[in-house]
Amino acid sequence: MSYLSALPLILDKTSNMNTRHLVILFLDQLSETLSALSGFDSSRDTVLMIEADDLFCNVPHHRLKIAFQIAAARQFAASLAESGYRVRYSRLEDADNTQIWQHEAVRLCNDITPEKIIVTEPSEWRSHQAVLSLRELCSFPVEMRQDTRFFSTKEGFSSFASSRKVLKMEHFYQRQRKEHGVLMDGNKPIGGKWNYDSDNRRSLPADTIIPPTTRFKADRTTQSIVRLVNQRYPDHPGSDFPFYFAVTRKDALTLLEEFIQTRLACFGDYQDAMAFDQPWLFHSHLSFYLNNGLLLPKEAVSMAEQAYDQSMAPLNAVEGFIRQIMGWREYVRGIYWHKMPSYREENYFNMNRSLPALYWHGNTKMACMAQCVGDTLQHAYAHHIQRLMVLGNFALLTECDPAAVQDWYLAVYADAYEWVELPNVVGMILHADGGYLASKPYVSSGNYINKMSNYCGCCHYQVKEKSGDKACPFNYLYWHFLLTQKDRLSSNPRLVFPYRTLAKMSKEKLDQIKKDSETFLENIDDA
């Protein structure tokens, strides 16, 4: 049965008689191996999936992101139905949809009347709380199962974090490698080193050929979802966009295989590079599918490790890719659940400036910001250095309110769910947790951007100018940030050298930095 013919059947409002277990799946749980589906009996159990406005309007989510989530979820529901699962699906456009996930779940649970509700633990705090509330709002018992798609458990991470005075990702990553036997030679790491990050910071040569990435043509049903999203959320970011994401596991696996075969070998060398009109470069772009469940972290790591074993990719590239998945990705998830719900309120530097409007439209004379915001608005994607060292760097240097920055990152990226977005913004990008996640703020002057990109060559501002109207704003804002946060940061061992440089500056130079920074911040909308 095709997707188009299956979908109306599974969405039919026929009664689910004699339902033993009602298995509720969230839109980022598109894995048939999900723990909640273990033991599923097609003759007695029913899957429930829900779309609702409140899932897409807690922040103004990018329209491409919403269309991707809905299209992938409906495809997954159809594939379950084809495999014999009974599926009840509540669509946005259904007339009786209450448009609040919790209310819709209660309504449909009472309609189906199961003996028990089963869920896999949700990825986000608010969804987790909504599931807990079902125990009070419904008369049915709720069983919450562990999400076995990750390498580590939330409880395991909390045990790791609680036993250490200093929390470092590298220690957690090494433990993960040892526990799961990844890139190991007995008890030692293959190659003799755990981390090859120092080998992965090359700028992109001008004549580098970037391999193309597969773009999937949206079928008629996905096209109708795109139209629905555009009509329903006209004020959300994203314009009339081509839809080319994978929305099935088969197509997501195609993209994983394509990355391993065509881009992994160069991923390590150029993972920090940036270039005009090249948003994809050698990155995998698999976070969309890892985070919604179409791909599993363990299979991505396994395929990368096999590529190294078969001499398809060098160790620095394979280790760097694996570290992103079983190191950093699992680390930020652990911190999210270990520190929530208070973690979202962290504001170590007491910053409260509104997010500049340019984050929503990209109209600015700063070439790097225009390019990175433009990539974001067009593709609902920017790679990690664009997010950290351009967009995030600028947000921190301009003293933006962490809550506003969190909302923006959550809204605009198709791979953004709060569990992965919030720790990256609070801990890595803004250092708003005071150093719990990362040991230093990731701020830089324009020199870093110039080194790692070709953005500066055609910018209105001059990256080598340190002061005045034509100076790169990142230059004086960087020193202004260090000056204003001296009491908090001057003792940080990783900032010894910049503070030594700052101490040698003349009063006249420091006054000029303050003047340029204050002028820029007062006129930021014209930057």
Side-chain angles (χ1 to χ4, degrees), residues 256-432:
L256 172 57
E257 292 166 359
E258 177 187 84
F259 167 68
I260 296 294
Q261 294 170 7
T262 66
R263 294 194 301 283
L264 176 59
C266 291
F267 166 75
D269 290 349
Y270 304 123
Q271 67 172 289
D272 285 7
M274 299 175 283
F276 264 121
D277 300 323
Q278 292 288 351
W280 311 110
L281 295 174
F282 292 97
H283 292 271
S284 72
H285 330 130
L286 298 175
S287 53
F288 306 116
Y289 314 110
L290 290 169
N291 291 353
N292 77 353
L294 290 181
L295 292 179
L296 300 175
K298 294 175 183 178
E299 66 190 346
V301 166
S302 177
M303 287 182 67
E305 191 172 21
Q306 289 175 24
Y308 174 72
D309 292 339
Q310 297 167 9
S311 301
M312 294 172 58
L315 184 56
N316 71 305
V318 172
E319 185 278 318
F321 176 68
I322 287 175
R323 179 163 21 93
Q324 285 193 350
I325 295 177
M326 70 182 303
W328 188 255
R329 185 174 184 267
E330 303 255 336
Y331 182 67
V332 297
R333 175 184 182 249
I335 285 179
Y336 176 79
W337 285 105
H338 187 60
K339 299 291 284 185
M340 284 295 284
S342 61
Y343 199 56
R344 67 160 61 97
E345 309 301 328
E346 298 278 4
N347 190 356
Y348 179 67
F349 296 120
N350 296 319
M351 292 182 170
N352 56 18
R353 188 180 302 277
S354 298
L355 192 72
L358 66 88
Y359 276 88
W360 297 105
H361 54 62
N363 298 323
T364 172
K365 296 189 288 288
M366 293 176 287
C368 60
M369 289 294 292
Q371 182 66 44
C372 293
V373 173
D375 286 348
T376 296
L377 296 180
Q378 181 178 358
H379 302 290
Y381 171 82
H383 72 68
H384 70 282
I385 294 299
Q386 290 177 304
R387 298 189 201 194
L388 174 64
M389 297 308 299
V390 178
L391 299 166
N393 187 14
F394 188 74
L396 181 52
L397 294 181
T398 55
E399 306 168 351
C400 291
D401 180 356
V405 181
Q406 290 170 43
D407 285 351
W408 184 81
Y409 275 86
L410 182 60
V412 298
Y413 292 116
D415 57 0
Y417 298 86
E418 190 183 66
W419 69 268
V420 66
E421 166 273 322
L422 191 148
N424 271 291
V425 172
V426 171
M428 189 72 170
I429 289 174
L430 299 181
H431 203 73

Side-chain angles (χ1 to χ4, degrees), residues 365 460-462 465 467-473 476 512 516 519:
K365 296 189 288 288
H460 168 82
Y461 299 100
Q462 301 300 310
E465 293 290 330
S467 61
D469 293 341
K470 296 295 289 183
C472 171
Y476 49 76
Q512 186 66 49
D516 288 341
T519 299

Side-chain angles (χ1 to χ4, degrees), residues 9-26 29 34-50 76-77 80-81 84-90 105 107-120 140-141 143 145:
L9 293 177
I10 66 170
L11 297 174
D12 187 31
K13 300 299 190 297
T14 56
S15 175
N16 291 287
M17 299 296 292
N18 301 318
T19 294
R20 180 188 63 157
H21 295 159
L22 179 63
V23 178
I24 303 179
L25 305 184
F26 287 88
Q29 296 181 335
L34 198 73
S35 60
L37 293 172
S38 178
F40 191 92
D41 184 336
S42 296
S43 65
R44 296 191 293 166
D45 301 334
T46 300
V47 169
L48 173 62
M49 298 179 70
I50 297 169
F76 181 70
L80 288 179
Y85 289 79
R86 293 196 302 185
V87 181
R88 183 75 177 267
Y89 198 109
S90 181
R107 180 179 74 85
L108 292 170
C109 287
N110 288 332
D111 182 43
I112 296 169
T113 62
E115 296 176 15
K116 182 168 68 172
I117 298 168
I118 298 176
V119 300
T120 291
F140 317 109
E143 177 186 342
R145 296 178 179 175

Side-chain angles (χ1 to χ4, degrees), residues 61-347:
H61 292 280
H62 197 296
R63 280 180 269 163
L64 182 56
K65 174 183 183 177
I66 299 172
F68 167 60
Q69 289 184 344
I70 293 174
R74 293 188 186 185
Q75 284 275 16
F76 181 70
S79 71
L80 288 179
E82 289 181 12
S83 298
Y85 289 79
R86 293 196 302 185
V87 181
R88 183 75 177 267
Y89 198 109
S90 181
R91 302 178 300 184
L92 274 178
E93 62 269 36
D94 292 340
D96 54 357
N97 190 324
T98 62
Q99 301 303 342
I100 298 174
W101 188 92
Q102 185 185 63
H103 294 176
E104 192 68 356
V106 171
R107 180 179 74 85
L108 292 170
C109 287
N110 288 332
D111 182 43
I112 296 169
T113 62
E115 296 176 15
K116 182 168 68 172
I117 298 168
I118 298 176
V119 300
T120 291
E121 55 188 2
S123 67
E124 298 185 321
W125 179 265
R126 69 187 187 117
S127 299
H128 187 272
Q129 298 306 110
V131 168
L132 293 181
S133 72
L134 291 181
R135 292 172 173 165
E136 300 178 0
L137 298 174
C138 298
S139 57
F140 317 109
V142 178
E143 177 186 342
M144 190 180 299
R145 296 178 179 175
Q146 185 181 100
D147 192 340
T148 56
R149 295 176 297 175
F150 291 87
F151 285 90
S152 59
T153 65
K154 295 187 294 189
E155 296 75 17
F157 182 89
S158 289
S159 176
F160 162 82
S162 299
S163 64
R164 284 164 170 76
K165 293 182 179 179
V166 178
L167 194 63
K168 289 187 177 181
M169 195 282 288
E170 187 65 23
H171 296 160
F172 172 73
Y173 170 56
Q174 292 178 18
R175 191 181 80 157
Q176 291 273 85
R177 291 261 301 270
K178 293 174 183 176
E179 182 177 342
H180 296 280
V182 174
L183 290 180
M184 297 296 295
D185 181 9
N187 293 322
K188 297 181 180 180
I190 287 177
K193 291 169 57 179
W194 290 103
N195 186 317
Y196 290 83
D197 193 43
S198 60
D199 298 332
N200 296 343
R201 299 170 185 169
R202 298 183 184 180
S203 56
L204 192 72
D207 59 352
T208 303
I209 298 175
I210 309 298
T213 58
T214 297
R215 293 188 171 201
F216 297 97
K217 184 178 180 180
D219 63 19
R220 286 179 296 169
T221 302
T222 298
Q223 291 172 12
S224 71
I225 292 170
V226 170
R227 290 193 295 271
L228 169 69
V229 170
N230 281 333
Q231 293 166 3
R232 197 173 189 95
Y233 308 110
D235 297 327
H236 287 221
S239 56
D240 292 333
F241 44 78
F243 188 99
Y244 45 77
F245 285 137
V247 294
T248 66
R249 173 164 168 78
K250 177 183 176 182
D251 287 346
L253 282 169
T254 296
L255 294 179
L256 172 57
E257 292 166 359
E258 177 187 84
F259 167 68
I260 296 294
Q261 294 170 7
T262 66
R263 294 194 301 283
L264 176 59
C266 291
F267 166 75
D269 290 349
Y270 304 123
Q271 67 172 289
D272 285 7
M274 299 175 283
F276 264 121
D277 300 323
Q278 292 288 351
W280 311 110
L281 295 174
F282 292 97
H283 292 271
S284 72
H285 330 130
L286 298 175
S287 53
F288 306 116
Y289 314 110
L290 290 169
N291 291 353
N292 77 353
L294 290 181
L295 292 179
L296 300 175
K298 294 175 183 178
E299 66 190 346
V301 166
S302 177
M303 287 182 67
E305 191 172 21
Q306 289 175 24
Y308 174 72
D309 292 339
Q310 297 167 9
S311 301
M312 294 172 58
L315 184 56
N316 71 305
V318 172
E319 185 278 318
F321 176 68
I322 287 175
R323 179 163 21 93
Q324 285 193 350
I325 295 177
M326 70 182 303
W328 188 255
R329 185 174 184 267
E330 303 255 336
Y331 182 67
V332 297
R333 175 184 182 249
I335 285 179
Y336 176 79
W337 285 105
H338 187 60
K339 299 291 284 185
M340 284 295 284
S342 61
Y343 199 56
R344 67 160 61 97
E345 309 301 328
E346 298 278 4
N347 190 356

